[in-house]
Amino acid sequence: MGFFSNSSVRREDVLKALSAIIDPDLKKDVVSLGMIRDLKIEDGNVSFTFVLTTPACPIKEKFEDEARRLVSGLDGVRNVSVKMDADVTRQKSIPERKAIEGVSNIVAVTSGKGGVGKSTVSANLACALALEGARVGLIDCDIYGPNIPIMMGNSDPPHGNGKMIVPLEAHGVKFVSMGLLSRDDTPLIWRGPMLHGVLQQLLYQVEWGELDYLIADLPPGTGDVQITMTQSVPLAGGVVVTTPQDVALSDARKGVVMLQQVKVNVLGIVENMSYFVCPSCGERSEIFDHGGGEETSEKFNVPFLGGIPLETDIRKCGDKGRPVVVDAPESPAAQAFREIARKLAAEISKSNFQILDNN
C-alpha cells in the first residue's frame, strides 16, 4: 500500500474506520480480507481501491457508499476517492483433477430432466456475469443436443490456432459447442469413450485465455458426461435447474444428490418458469405450481438462487441468438437472471474462502 501524508489524517484511522464494514458472506471485515488497497492520503484527500471478490458482487454499491461515508466522517478528511475493482477468487485445486489453464472457476449447470430450460439459464447466466464485468466462457457439454450456438447467435465453425481451438465470442462471452463442429440435423450416435474424448478436447484444447468463470452447460440426467466432468476437472460447484412441477423437482433432487455424492459443492438451485405475470393486467399466475425449488433447497440445505418468470421474451430472445439479459435488459426475466448471477458469484466467493479458511 502506498501512503503519503501532509495532513492530520492518519493511515491507521482510515483503516480502522473501514474495518467496520463486514462482508456478510465471508463474515470478516474488508480490511482483514485485504479488500482495501493502494491507500493514499495527501492534504486531506483520501483515495483507495476497494477490491471485491467478484465484479458481480450483489452489494457493490452498498460497499462503496459505506466506505465513502465512514472515511468522510474522519477529522481532517476533505475528499474521498474510491475506486471499485475486483479480484475473483479461484477454486481449490484437486491433485487428481486437471485444471484448465487460465480459468479461475468452473461452474456446472445441470438438471435432473430435460425441458426445464437449463441451456437458457446457462446462456443467460454467462451473459449476465459478463455484463457485470467478469471474464466469462461457456462450454456446451450437451453433445447430443447442443443448443448454445443458436442461443448465442453465432454458429460459425471455430478455427484452430496450432493445436488449440479458438472459441467463438458473442455478447462478451467466449463459447464452444459440439454444435459448431457437426452439421445441422445430423445426430451424433456415440457411446461413452467417444463422449469422453470430445469433452476432453472441448475442455483442454480450447484457447480460453484468462477467465473468471467458465459456465458448463451439462446435458440432463446423471450419465457419462456428468461423470466425466466431475472426475476430470476441479469444479467450483454446480447449479441445479428445475421447474416447479413435482416430476421436475423429483429429478432435481436426484441432481443435487448426484453432485453431493461426487463431492461437488452445490452452489444453488434455480427455479425456471417459476410464475407468469400477465402483461395486460399484471396478475401473477403460478401455472406450474410455485415454491418447489425453494423447498428443495431447504431440504438439502443448499442455497436457493432465485426464480425466473415464464416470459415469451425469454424464448424469443433465445431463438434469435440474443439472450434476454442482452436483448431486453429491463424485463423482469432479465432482472431475475442478473440477480441470480450476482448471488451465484457471491456463493462461489464464499465457497472459495471457506476452503481457504479450512486449510
PDB file of all heavy atoms in Angstrom, residues 125-143:
ATOM      1  N   LEU A 125     -26.981 -16.758 -17.657  1.00  0.00           N
ATOM      2  CA  LEU A 125     -26.064 -16.542 -16.541  1.00  0.00           C
ATOM      3  C   LEU A 125     -24.694 -16.116 -17.046  1.00  0.00           C
ATOM      4  O   LEU A 125     -24.057 -15.218 -16.474  1.00  0.00           O
ATOM      5  CB  LEU A 125     -25.936 -17.810 -15.700  1.00  0.00           C
ATOM      6  CG  LEU A 125     -27.102 -18.158 -14.776  1.00  0.00           C
ATOM      7  CD1 LEU A 125     -26.786 -19.418 -13.972  1.00  0.00           C
ATOM      8  CD2 LEU A 125     -27.439 -17.006 -13.840  1.00  0.00           C
ATOM      9  N   ALA A 126     -24.226 -16.751 -18.120  1.00  0.00           N
ATOM     10  CA  ALA A 126     -22.932 -16.381 -18.684  1.00  0.00           C
ATOM     11  C   ALA A 126     -22.938 -14.929 -19.147  1.00  0.00           C
ATOM     12  O   ALA A 126     -22.016 -14.157 -18.851  1.00  0.00           O
ATOM     13  CB  ALA A 126     -22.582 -17.310 -19.844  1.00  0.00           C
ATOM     14  N   CYS A 127     -23.987 -14.539 -19.868  1.00  0.00           N
ATOM     15  CA  CYS A 127     -24.077 -13.159 -20.358  1.00  0.00           C
ATOM     16  C   CYS A 127     -24.259 -12.170 -19.211  1.00  0.00           C
ATOM     17  O   CYS A 127     -23.706 -11.061 -19.240  1.00  0.00           O
ATOM     18  CB  CYS A 127     -25.233 -13.030 -21.347  1.00  0.00           C
ATOM     19  SG  CYS A 127     -24.960 -13.871 -22.922  1.00  0.00           S
ATOM     20  N   ALA A 128     -25.015 -12.568 -18.190  1.00  0.00           N
ATOM     21  CA  ALA A 128     -25.222 -11.680 -17.042  1.00  0.00           C
ATOM     22  C   ALA A 128     -23.914 -11.430 -16.302  1.00  0.00           C
ATOM     23  O   ALA A 128     -23.618 -10.299 -15.910  1.00  0.00           O
ATOM     24  CB  ALA A 128     -26.265 -12.290 -16.102  1.00  0.00           C
ATOM     25  N   LEU A 129     -23.124 -12.464 -16.112  1.00  0.00           N
ATOM     26  CA  LEU A 129     -21.825 -12.293 -15.448  1.00  0.00           C
ATOM     27  C   LEU A 129     -20.900 -11.407 -16.282  1.00  0.00           C
ATOM     28  O   LEU A 129     -20.155 -10.580 -15.743  1.00  0.00           O
ATOM     29  CB  LEU A 129     -21.177 -13.657 -15.202  1.00  0.00           C
ATOM     30  CG  LEU A 129     -21.818 -14.518 -14.109  1.00  0.00           C
ATOM     31  CD1 LEU A 129     -21.278 -15.947 -14.167  1.00  0.00           C
ATOM     32  CD2 LEU A 129     -21.579 -13.912 -12.724  1.00  0.00           C
ATOM     33  N   ALA A 130     -20.955 -11.568 -17.615  1.00  0.00           N
ATOM     34  CA  ALA A 130     -20.150 -10.716 -18.495  1.00  0.00           C
ATOM     35  C   ALA A 130     -20.595  -9.259 -18.394  1.00  0.00           C
ATOM     36  O   ALA A 130     -19.761  -8.339 -18.387  1.00  0.00           O
ATOM     37  CB  ALA A 130     -20.244 -11.217 -19.935  1.00  0.00           C
ATOM     38  N   LEU A 131     -21.902  -9.039 -18.297  1.00  0.00           N
ATOM     39  CA  LEU A 131     -22.415  -7.681 -18.159  1.00  0.00           C
ATOM     40  C   LEU A 131     -21.977  -7.036 -16.847  1.00  0.00           C
ATOM     41  O   LEU A 131     -21.872  -5.811 -16.751  1.00  0.00           O
ATOM     42  CB  LEU A 131     -23.946  -7.680 -18.249  1.00  0.00           C
ATOM     43  CG  LEU A 131     -24.538  -7.926 -19.643  1.00  0.00           C
ATOM     44  CD1 LEU A 131     -26.038  -8.174 -19.553  1.00  0.00           C
ATOM     45  CD2 LEU A 131     -24.253  -6.754 -20.562  1.00  0.00           C
ATOM     46  N   GLU A 132     -21.712  -7.861 -15.841  1.00  0.00           N
ATOM     47  CA  GLU A 132     -21.232  -7.344 -14.558  1.00  0.00           C
ATOM     48  C   GLU A 132     -19.750  -6.991 -14.607  1.00  0.00           C
ATOM     49  O   GLU A 132     -19.205  -6.427 -13.660  1.00  0.00           O
ATOM     50  CB  GLU A 132     -21.467  -8.382 -13.455  1.00  0.00           C
ATOM     51  CG  GLU A 132     -22.929  -8.686 -13.161  1.00  0.00           C
ATOM     52  CD  GLU A 132     -23.651  -7.552 -12.465  1.00  0.00           C
ATOM     53  OE1 GLU A 132     -22.972  -6.688 -11.876  1.00  0.00           O
ATOM     54  OE2 GLU A 132     -24.890  -7.515 -12.526  1.00  0.00           O
ATOM     55  N   GLY A 133     -19.076  -7.369 -15.707  1.00  0.00           N
ATOM     56  CA  GLY A 133     -17.665  -7.043 -15.852  1.00  0.00           C
ATOM     57  C   GLY A 133     -16.725  -8.221 -15.708  1.00  0.00           C
ATOM     58  O   GLY A 133     -15.499  -8.044 -15.717  1.00  0.00           O
ATOM     59  N   ALA A 134     -17.268  -9.434 -15.571  1.00  0.00           N
ATOM     60  CA  ALA A 134     -16.430 -10.622 -15.429  1.00  0.00           C
ATOM     61  C   ALA A 134     -15.984 -11.140 -16.792  1.00  0.00           C
ATOM     62  O   ALA A 134     -16.629 -10.889 -17.816  1.00  0.00           O
ATOM     63  CB  ALA A 134     -17.191 -11.710 -14.677  1.00  0.00           C
ATOM     64  N   ARG A 135     -14.886 -11.884 -16.794  1.00  0.00           N
ATOM     65  CA  ARG A 135     -14.399 -12.569 -17.997  1.00  0.00           C
ATOM     66  C   ARG A 135     -15.009 -13.968 -17.987  1.00  0.00           C
ATOM     67  O   ARG A 135     -14.734 -14.752 -17.081  1.00  0.00           O
ATOM     68  CB  ARG A 135     -12.876 -12.635 -17.994  1.00  0.00           C
ATOM     69  CG  ARG A 135     -12.200 -11.253 -17.982  1.00  0.00           C
ATOM     70  CD  ARG A 135     -10.714 -11.361 -17.674  1.00  0.00           C
ATOM     71  NE  ARG A 135     -10.473 -11.917 -16.339  1.00  0.00           N
ATOM     72  CZ  ARG A 135      -9.269 -12.105 -15.829  1.00  0.00           C
ATOM     73  NH1 ARG A 135      -8.185 -11.780 -16.533  1.00  0.00           N
ATOM     74  NH2 ARG A 135      -9.117 -12.628 -14.619  1.00  0.00           N
ATOM     75  N   VAL A 136     -15.823 -14.260 -18.994  1.00  0.00           N
ATOM     76  CA  VAL A 136     -16.686 -15.444 -18.925  1.00  0.00           C
ATOM     77  C   VAL A 136     -16.555 -16.306 -20.172  1.00  0.00           C
ATOM     78  O   VAL A 136     -16.453 -15.799 -21.300  1.00  0.00           O
ATOM     79  CB  VAL A 136     -18.171 -15.035 -18.749  1.00  0.00           C
ATOM     80  CG1 VAL A 136     -19.044 -16.273 -18.520  1.00  0.00           C
ATOM     81  CG2 VAL A 136     -18.337 -14.063 -17.595  1.00  0.00           C
ATOM     82  N   GLY A 137     -16.562 -17.624 -19.946  1.00  0.00           N
ATOM     83  CA  GLY A 137     -16.625 -18.594 -21.028  1.00  0.00           C
ATOM     84  C   GLY A 137     -17.840 -19.488 -20.831  1.00  0.00           C
ATOM     85  O   GLY A 137     -18.368 -19.607 -19.721  1.00  0.00           O
ATOM     86  N   LEU A 138     -18.272 -20.119 -21.911  1.00  0.00           N
ATOM     87  CA  LEU A 138     -19.440 -21.001 -21.881  1.00  0.00           C
ATOM     88  C   LEU A 138     -19.134 -22.222 -22.728  1.00  0.00           C
ATOM     89  O   LEU A 138     -18.790 -22.092 -23.905  1.00  0.00           O
ATOM     90  CB  LEU A 138     -20.669 -20.259 -22.422  1.00  0.00           C
ATOM     91  CG  LEU A 138     -21.979 -21.026 -22.590  1.00  0.00           C
ATOM     92  CD1 LEU A 138     -22.477 -21.576 -21.254  1.00  0.00           C
ATOM     93  CD2 LEU A 138     -23.040 -20.114 -23.205  1.00  0.00           C
ATOM     94  N   ILE A 139     -19.219 -23.404 -22.118  1.00  0.00           N
ATOM     95  CA  ILE A 139     -18.955 -24.630 -22.850  1.00  0.00           C
ATOM     96  C   ILE A 139     -20.228 -25.465 -22.905  1.00  0.00           C
ATOM     97  O   ILE A 139     -20.847 -25.729 -21.873  1.00  0.00           O
ATOM     98  CB  ILE A 139     -17.789 -25.423 -22.220  1.00  0.00           C
ATOM     99  CG1 ILE A 139     -17.581 -26.745 -22.942  1.00  0.00           C
ATOM    100  CG2 ILE A 139     -17.976 -25.629 -20.731  1.00  0.00           C
ATOM    101  CD1 ILE A 139     -16.329 -27.491 -22.502  1.00  0.00           C
ATOM    102  N   ASP A 140     -20.636 -25.819 -24.098  1.00  0.00           N
ATOM    103  CA  ASP A 140     -21.839 -26.619 -24.321  1.00  0.00           C
ATOM    104  C   ASP A 140     -21.449 -28.091 -24.256  1.00  0.00           C
ATOM    105  O   ASP A 140     -20.896 -28.645 -25.201  1.00  0.00           O
ATOM    106  CB  ASP A 140     -22.432 -26.268 -25.689  1.00  0.00           C
ATOM    107  CG  ASP A 140     -23.788 -26.894 -25.932  1.00  0.00           C
ATOM    108  OD1 ASP A 140     -24.223 -27.709 -25.101  1.00  0.00           O
ATOM    109  OD2 ASP A 140     -24.416 -26.570 -26.956  1.00  0.00           O
ATOM    110  N   CYS A 141     -21.723 -28.716 -23.113  1.00  0.00           N
ATOM    111  CA  CYS A 141     -21.357 -30.117 -22.910  1.00  0.00           C
ATOM    112  C   CYS A 141     -22.470 -31.080 -23.318  1.00  0.00           C
ATOM    113  O   CYS A 141     -22.316 -32.296 -23.135  1.00  0.00           O
ATOM    114  CB  CYS A 141     -20.997 -30.364 -21.448  1.00  0.00           C
ATOM    115  SG  CYS A 141     -19.597 -29.397 -20.872  1.00  0.00           S
ATOM    116  N   ASP A 142     -23.569 -30.549 -23.827  1.00  0.00           N
ATOM    117  CA  ASP A 142     -24.669 -31.410 -24.273  1.00  0.00           C
ATOM    118  C   ASP A 142     -24.343 -31.876 -25.690  1.00  0.00           C
ATOM    119  O   ASP A 142     -24.734 -31.248 -26.673  1.00  0.00           O
ATOM    120  CB  ASP A 142     -25.989 -30.648 -24.225  1.00  0.00           C
ATOM    121  CG  ASP A 142     -27.196 -31.572 -24.329  1.00  0.00           C
ATOM    122  OD1 ASP A 142     -27.011 -32.732 -24.750  1.00  0.00           O
ATOM    123  OD2 ASP A 142     -28.309 -31.140 -23.998  1.00  0.00           O
ATOM    124  N   ILE A 143     -23.599 -32.947 -25.781  1.00  0.00           N
ATOM    125  CA  ILE A 143     -23.087 -33.424 -27.066  1.00  0.00           C
ATOM    126  C   ILE A 143     -24.215 -33.832 -28.013  1.00  0.00           C
ATOM    127  O   ILE A 143     -24.162 -33.587 -29.215  1.00  0.00           O
ATOM    128  CB  ILE A 143     -22.124 -34.612 -26.849  1.00  0.00           C
ATOM    129  CG1 ILE A 143     -21.013 -34.236 -25.849  1.00  0.00           C
ATOM    130  CG2 ILE A 143     -21.525 -35.069 -28.172  1.00  0.00           C
ATOM    131  CD1 ILE A 143     -20.148 -33.093 -26.251  1.00  0.00           C
TER     132      ILE A 143
END
